């Protein structure tokens, strides 16, 4: 869904900002094939933010669909 267009140079700064803001939590998992790997999980704060952003997006989409004359059934 377009994520292939994002480079490491843009992903890691975003992950860092999300972690500093408490939206995600990073943790290390030991690897048998090299250094430990860092994984991320969404926090309760992050889940609430996603829910709010989703509602904002739906409201925006509904308004745009209305302007464009798009029927909800399509």
């Amino acid at each position: 869904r377009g994520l292939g267009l994002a480079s490491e140079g843009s992903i890691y700064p975003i992950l860092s900002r999300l972690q500093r803001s408490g939206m995600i939590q990073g943790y290390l998992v030991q690897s048998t094939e090299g250094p430990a790997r860092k994984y991320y999980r969404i926090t309760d704060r992050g889940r609430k933010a996603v829910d709010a952003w989703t509602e904002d997006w739906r409201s925006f989409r509904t308004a745009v669909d209305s302007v464009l004359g798009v029927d909800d059934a399509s």
Side-chain angles (χ1 to χ4, degrees):
R1 301 205 181 205
L3 292 177
L5 300 175
S7 68
E8 287 183 22
S10 60
I11 297 289
Y12 290 108
I14 291 169
L15 288 171
S16 181
R17 282 194 303 262
L18 288 169
Q19 188 168 1
R20 280 194 311 272
S21 69
M23 303 287 185
I24 61 173
Q25 178 183 38
Y27 61 98
L28 294 175
V29 174
Q30 293 302 317
S31 172
T32 59
E33 300 176 10
R37 296 172 188 245
K38 191 165 191 179
Y39 292 86
Y40 297 90
R41 68 174 63 106
I42 193 166
T43 62
D44 288 340
R45 181 178 182 174
R47 176 62 53 207
K48 289 176 186 172
V50 168
D51 291 345
W53 295 334
T54 299
E55 186 55 38
D56 288 347
W57 173 254
R58 287 183 178 142
S59 295
F60 177 75
R61 183 188 65 199
T62 298
V64 171
D65 286 349
S66 176
V67 169
L68 296 175
V70 175
D71 185 3
D72 285 340
S74 55

